[in-house]
C-alpha cells in the first residue's frame, strides 16, 4: 500500500494526532554528559523500548532512557541533523502508527482468504 507522504500525514494526523498530543504530551530527557537536554513526545518515549526499530534493529542502550535517546539520535542523523524534522517524526513514530498501517492493510487485503 503506497500513497503520497502529504496525504498519509494528513489522514494519520486527522485520526491519531490530537491537539493535546501535540502540545502537552512531552517528556524531558535531562542533559547527561555530552548529550543535550531533549524534549520527546511521550508516546514515542513509551513505545521506543518495546516497539521501535531503526533500520531493522532495536534502539541501542541498556536503560529505557538510553534507548529513547538512541532512537531519537538515529532519527536526527537520518534527517541530516534537522531537529525540527526529527521532532515531527517522533509525533507519528509510535504504536498508533502501527495500528493505522494495520488498518490500511486490512482495508486493502482483508478480502483475501490467504492473508490473515
Amino acid at each position: 500500500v503506497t500513497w503520497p507522504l502529504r496525504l498519509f500525514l494528513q489522514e494519520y494526523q486527522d485520526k491519531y494526532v490530537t491537539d493535546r498530543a501535540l502540545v502537552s504530551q512531552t517528556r524531558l530527557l535531562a542533559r547527561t554528559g555530552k548529550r543535550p537536554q531533549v524534549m520527546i513526545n511521550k508516546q514515542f518515549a513509551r513505545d521506543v523500548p518495546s516497539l521501535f526499530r531503526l533500520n531493522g534493529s532495536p534502539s541501542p542502550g541498556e536503560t529505557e532512557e538510553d534507548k529513547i535517546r538512541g532512537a531519537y539520535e538515529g532519527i536526527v542523523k537520518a534527517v541530516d541533523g534537522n531537529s525540527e524534522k526529527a521532532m515531527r517524526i517522533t509525533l507519528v513514530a509510535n504504536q498508533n502508527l502501527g495500528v493505522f498501517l494495520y488498518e490500511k492493510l486490512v482495508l486493502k487485503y482483508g478480502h483475501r482468504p490467504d492473508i490473515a
Side-chain angles (χ1 to χ4, degrees), residues 71-87:
Y72 182 74
E73 289 166 1
I75 291 169
V76 170
K77 183 178 177 183
V79 294
D80 297 322
N82 186 323
S83 58
E84 183 181 334
K85 278 185 183 178
M87 197 52 130

Side-chain angles (χ1 to χ4, degrees), residues 21 31 33 37 42 45-46 64 66 77 80 91 102-103 105 110:
R31 180 183 177 94
Q37 174 176 297
K42 270 190 180 179
R46 175 199 68 200
E64 181 179 285
D66 288 342
K77 183 178 177 183
D80 297 322
L91 291 175
Y102 175 77
E103 289 172 351
L105 289 171

Side-chain angles (χ1 to χ4, degrees), residues 5-80:
L5 179 61
R6 181 178 48 80
L7 295 176
F8 155 73
L9 288 173
Q10 180 180 356
E11 185 176 342
Y12 179 77
Q13 289 184 358
D14 287 346
K15 285 186 172 185
Y16 289 99
V17 181
T18 65
D19 290 340
R20 189 175 138 227
L22 290 172
V23 193
S24 64
Q25 300 294 317
T26 57
R27 176 175 169 183
L28 179 67
L29 300 179
R31 180 183 177 94
T32 57
K34 293 182 179 182
R35 290 176 149 180
Q37 174 176 297
V38 178
M39 191 71 85
I40 298 287
N41 176 275
K42 270 190 180 179
Q43 286 184 312
F44 175 78
R46 175 199 68 200
D47 295 341
V48 162
S50 59
L51 299 174
F52 190 82
R53 296 291 180 268
L54 189 60
N55 296 326
S57 299
S59 186
E62 295 292 318
T63 68
E64 181 179 285
E65 185 172 318
D66 288 342
K67 291 178 181 189
I68 295 165
R69 282 185 179 277
Y72 182 74
E73 289 166 1
I75 291 169
V76 170
K77 183 178 177 183
V79 294
D80 297 322

